[in-house]
Amino acid sequence: MTFLSSAQSAVLSWGAQRRLRSIYHFRDHPHEAQQQVLRELLHTARATEWGRRYGFADALSGREFAGRVPVSAYEELVPDLERVMRGEADVLWPGRVQWFAKSSGTTNARSKYIPVTREALHECHYRAGRDMVALSTLHYPEAQLLGGKTLSLGGTHTPNPLRPADALSRAGDVSAVIMQNLPAWAEHIRTPPLELALLDEWEEKIERIARHVQHQDVRALAGVPTWMIVLLRRVTELAGADNITDVWPNLRLFLHGAVAFGPYRELFQQLIPGPQMHYLEVYNASEGYIALQDEPDSEDLLLLLNHGIYYEFLPADQWDAPEPQALPLEAVELGKSYALLISTNAGLWRYKIGDTVRFTSLQPYRIRISGRTKHFLNAFGEEVVIENAEAAIAAACRATSTTVRDFTAAPIYFAGAADGSRGGHQWLIEFTQPPQDAAHFTSVLDQTLRQLNSDYDAKRHRDMALAPPTLTVAAPGLFERWLARRGKLGGQHKVPRLSNSRDLLDDILRTS
């Protein structure tokens, strides 16, 4: 079993605590922090092709920046991003970019390749990582998290597909990019070793990691809930234990992200029983580390405002506008959903990341992820977003004492409805153990959606416009087999939760 010395742990704790001052500063002075980020981004990139094109050297204000630089989706940036991937320097950001985060991001088969510059690694991802360590040790000092290991699960990386002969240029899950380039302080407290963490075959990876980490002093977990469940179960089996706390008695914290934790909470409480376990959420996307849970008793996420990302926000009526008008941070309102626009130290300028958020606090700025601009159910005007879906799934699980492994939902159009007059929703759900009363599960799902979403409730009134939801129980492992067939098994790849088309759900159902 590997332990850190008391001196090593003390040094790490001292470094983590220094980050708290920075967190308090941008939290208390948000607009000044954001203006400073914008000035630094424009100054650094002033001699790039984009900097010359849009006059970054003119020290633009936020309003001038928004007036000159167009809003861009990934598809519109592809020509310039491919030039960057081929090794051209000074296109979007100074110098040549060697690392790229590969992200599926949408229901499209084509993968996205997001540049990950040295500045993005050190001034965004790793800075936020230090913030998370500082907050964790602040909230849970008795756990002595830095005295043991943090078990982190990630993906893998492969040669840059547009520069395969360049051994230094790689692309992969952002988790793999981060792990491969970790500073020494972070690698020192992480497990498993890179040769296991970056394996690309997930069945072998889970098995070998499980055999290695069962003998470690694991005090914290970090990763996607779906795959962490698989690993924890295997570790428990190998150890012949009743639950994971028998294997890791010092385990106290799970830092989770990529999918909402609500549907998984009860399952983790079964795997890690007892009140000593804590859970904190992070919002670390391929494009940057955006927010983290800074209060243990609230699921709201603190927006990170001095980590190399300048934020703007698109109201719902501007998501698909030909010339969308974005709001600066100081103009956002509580409770409304906004699509995120980011300008970053990886060379993304006024980029539509695809996620939507709503603000739960303006002093300081805290958010919750409400969905994606392309992932929602609105075939009949019901406007169901991912946040609604995940809350309803969690409520139905509580009501029927079950847990969900994965799910997706899609419309049943009028022609497919039982009487041909109403549409509906089909929910394809893989349970860890199917509910004894599937009808009750579906009823709670439906009623919760009606409570959360007035548009859905209006369409469901007396079943006139929208039929009750239909539940289809997925065979065990169906979603994993579908991801494997698409070459997207493991890492941060995930099944889109909602779609206005049946293409995705029908394709999953065709998987044997």
Side-chain angles (χ1 to χ4, degrees):
M1 190 172 288
T2 302
F3 294 94
L4 297 181
S5 70
S6 58
Q8 290 170 327
S9 179
V11 169
L12 290 173
S13 296
W14 173 80
Q17 296 309 309
R18 290 189 62 192
R19 287 300 308 161
L20 291 175
R21 290 197 295 272
S22 176
I23 296 171
Y24 297 150
H25 185 269
F26 77 71
R27 190 186 66 182
D28 296 339
H29 304 88
H31 306 132
E32 295 90 332
Q34 276 287 274
Q35 291 307 312
Q36 179 64 25
V37 167
L38 179 61
R39 285 193 295 270
E40 291 175 355
L41 291 175
L42 296 177
H43 178 77
T44 303
R46 66 192 185 283
T48 64
E49 183 175 309
W50 270 59
R52 296 192 302 272
R53 182 187 306 168
Y54 296 111
F56 287 0
D58 295 344
L60 307 177
S61 67
R63 182 184 296 274
E64 291 168 332
F65 175 66
R68 289 192 189 185
V69 181
V71 172
S72 297
Y74 181 82
E75 292 74 15
E76 293 156 332
L77 285 182
V78 164
D80 283 335
L81 288 174
E82 288 186 346
R83 291 170 57 200
V84 174
M85 290 185 69
R86 291 191 180 97
E88 289 190 45
D90 305 326
V91 179
L92 295 160
W93 192 254
R96 300 174 75 205
V97 181
Q98 298 286 51
W99 285 91
F100 299 86
K102 183 180 178 182
S103 170
S104 52
T106 70
T107 54
N108 297 334
R110 182 174 183 172
S111 293
K112 295 180 178 181
Y113 289 90
I114 306 298
V116 183
T117 62
R118 177 177 175 80
E119 290 85 355
L121 277 173
H122 289 272
E123 297 170 18
C124 183
H125 293 286
Y126 297 152
R127 178 178 292 177
R130 292 196 299 273
D131 291 347
M132 194 73 257
V133 170
L135 289 166
S136 299
T137 55
L138 172 69
H139 294 317
Y140 312 116
E142 73 287 350
Q144 298 183 345
L145 298 171
L146 295 174
K149 293 288 189 179
T150 294
L151 191 163
S152 54
L153 281 179
T156 188
H157 56 76
T158 57
N160 175 350
L162 297 187
R163 216 189 317 163
D166 185 347
L168 297 178
S169 186
R170 310 282 291 180
D173 291 342
V174 68
S175 57
V177 176
I178 290 171
M179 282 186 193
Q180 185 65 65
N181 294 279
L182 276 177
W185 69 267
E187 185 61 28
H188 196 64
I189 62 173
R190 197 194 60 77
T191 192
L194 284 180
E195 61 266 23
L196 299 183
L198 299 181
L199 286 171
D200 60 355
E201 208 293 308
W202 271 82
E203 290 186 2
E204 176 191 4
K205 182 174 191 163
I206 291 292
E207 183 67 21
R208 292 182 63 183
I209 289 177
R211 292 183 180 278
H212 178 84
V213 299
Q214 67 170 315
H215 304 298
Q216 300 280 302
D217 177 22
V218 174
R219 303 193 182 188
L221 309 172
V224 179
T226 312
W227 287 103
M228 194 61 72
I229 288 170
V230 177
L231 178 64
L232 295 183
R233 283 176 169 165
R234 184 57 183 146
V235 171
T236 304
E237 291 172 1
L238 287 172
D242 292 332
N243 57 68
I244 202 67
T245 57
D246 293 337
V247 186
W248 299 323
N250 296 321
L251 180 61
R252 294 293 183 272
L253 179 65
F254 180 26
L255 301 172
H256 58 86
V259 297
F261 191 60
Y264 299 96
R265 187 176 297 278
E266 184 176 340
L267 183 55
F268 271 89
Q269 290 172 348
Q270 295 170 8
L271 291 167
I272 316 171
Q276 76 283 356
M277 191 64 186
H278 307 288
Y279 301 89
L280 293 175
E281 183 176 357
V282 301
Y283 180 9
N284 188 10
S286 298
E287 295 84 356
Y289 207 132
I290 291 170
L292 49 76
Q293 184 179 339
D294 67 318
E295 293 186 324
D297 299 326
S298 170
E299 295 181 357
D300 299 343
L301 305 179
L302 181 69
L303 194 63
L304 299 178
L305 300 175
N306 70 346
H307 293 63
I309 301 176
Y310 177 73
Y311 298 97
E312 298 171 86
F313 303 89
L314 285 176
D317 62 358
Q318 296 294 306
W319 291 358
D320 296 316
E323 296 183 4
Q325 301 299 306
L327 301 176
L329 181 65
E330 56 267 27
V332 300
E333 299 178 41
L334 286 175
K336 293 186 176 181
S337 279
Y338 299 97
L340 271 177
L341 283 187
I342 58 173
S343 298
T344 77
N345 53 10
L348 300 175
W349 300 104
R350 308 198 76 214
Y351 176 77
K352 293 169 67 174
I353 190 173
D355 291 341
T356 62
V357 302
R358 63 177 176 85
F359 282 86
T360 57
S361 168
L362 303 182
Q363 292 182 341
Y365 285 101
R366 292 194 177 99
I367 61 171
R368 291 199 183 187
I369 303 168
S370 56
R372 289 185 63 82
T373 56
K374 295 184 180 180
H375 294 177
F376 52 85
L377 273 171
N378 194 33
F380 312 103
E382 64 274 39
E383 297 187 7
V384 174
V385 297
I386 293 174
E387 185 180 34
N388 301 154
E390 289 171 332
I393 287 283
C397 284
R398 289 192 298 271
T400 56
S401 300
T402 189
T403 52
V404 165
R405 175 68 190 276
D406 223 330
F407 74 90
T408 193
I412 301 173
Y413 290 105
F414 297 107
D419 62 2
S421 63
R422 296 170 298 165
H425 297 160
Q426 181 179 5
W427 294 77
L428 177 63
I429 302 177
E430 180 182 342
F431 295 93
T432 55
Q433 182 175 351
Q436 292 184 348
D437 188 344
H440 183 45
F441 180 96
T442 309
S443 175
V444 175
L445 173 72
D446 182 41
Q447 291 302 316
T448 306
L449 285 173
R450 296 188 70 167
Q451 294 167 12
L452 294 172
N453 187 312
S454 59
D455 292 305
Y456 178 85
D457 183 52
K459 301 299 182 297
R460 287 282 297 114
H461 181 63
R462 296 185 178 180
D463 297 349
M464 293 179 63
L466 200 63
T470 298
L471 172 63
T472 301
V473 177
L478 176 64
F479 289 98
E480 288 182 19
R481 292 193 295 276
W482 180 77
L483 286 168
R485 179 162 61 85
R486 290 164 53 92
K488 296 182 181 296
L489 186 63
Q492 292 189 314
H493 296 300
K494 49 191 178 293
V495 177
R497 298 306 202 193
L498 305 175
S499 176
N500 264 347
S501 164
R502 289 196 56 85
D503 293 347
L504 172 71
L505 190 147
D506 287 340
D507 189 47
I508 295 173
L509 288 173
R510 285 193 292 269
T511 301
S512 58

